[in-house]
C-alpha cells in the first residue's frame, strides 16, 4: 500500500508529518529517522482504529 505523506519542518525543531488520506493521522519526531519510525506506528494505529470501528 502506498500513501502520500507530507513532511514539515517544525518551528521548534524536528519534523512533523501528516497523511492526507487518513484524516487525523499525524506524528512528529526530533530527527527524520525518528519521524519515519513514528509515522509507521501512527499509520498502523490509525488504520487499526478504523478497521475496529467498522466491525462494531
Amino acid at each position: 500500500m502506498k500513501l502520500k505523506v507530507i513532511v514539515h519542518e517544525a518551528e521548534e525543531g524536528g519534523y512533523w508529518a501528516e497523511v492526507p488520506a487518513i484524516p487525523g493521522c499525524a506524528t512528529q519526531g526530533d530527527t527524520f529517522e525518528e519521524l519515519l519510525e513514528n509515522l509507521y506506528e501512527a499509520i498502523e494505529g490509525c488504520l487499526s482504529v478504523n478497521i475496529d470501528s467498522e466491525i462494531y
Side-chain angles (χ1 to χ4, degrees):
M1 169 187 265
K2 290 184 180 184
L3 293 170
K4 179 180 179 178
V5 175
I6 301 173
V7 177
H8 308 270
E9 286 190 41
E11 289 181 19
E12 63 277 355
Y15 301 90
W16 70 279
E18 58 187 316
V19 184
I22 308 173
C25 189
T27 191
Q28 63 85 36
D30 291 330
T31 65
F32 191 77
E33 291 76 19
E34 182 181 3
L35 174 68
L36 290 179
E37 289 176 24
N38 293 343
L39 193 54
Y40 283 112
E41 290 178 19
I43 291 169
E44 183 177 349
C46 289
L47 291 178
S48 69
V49 167
N50 287 339
I51 289 171
D52 290 344
S53 64
E54 298 272 334
I55 293 173
Y56 301 104

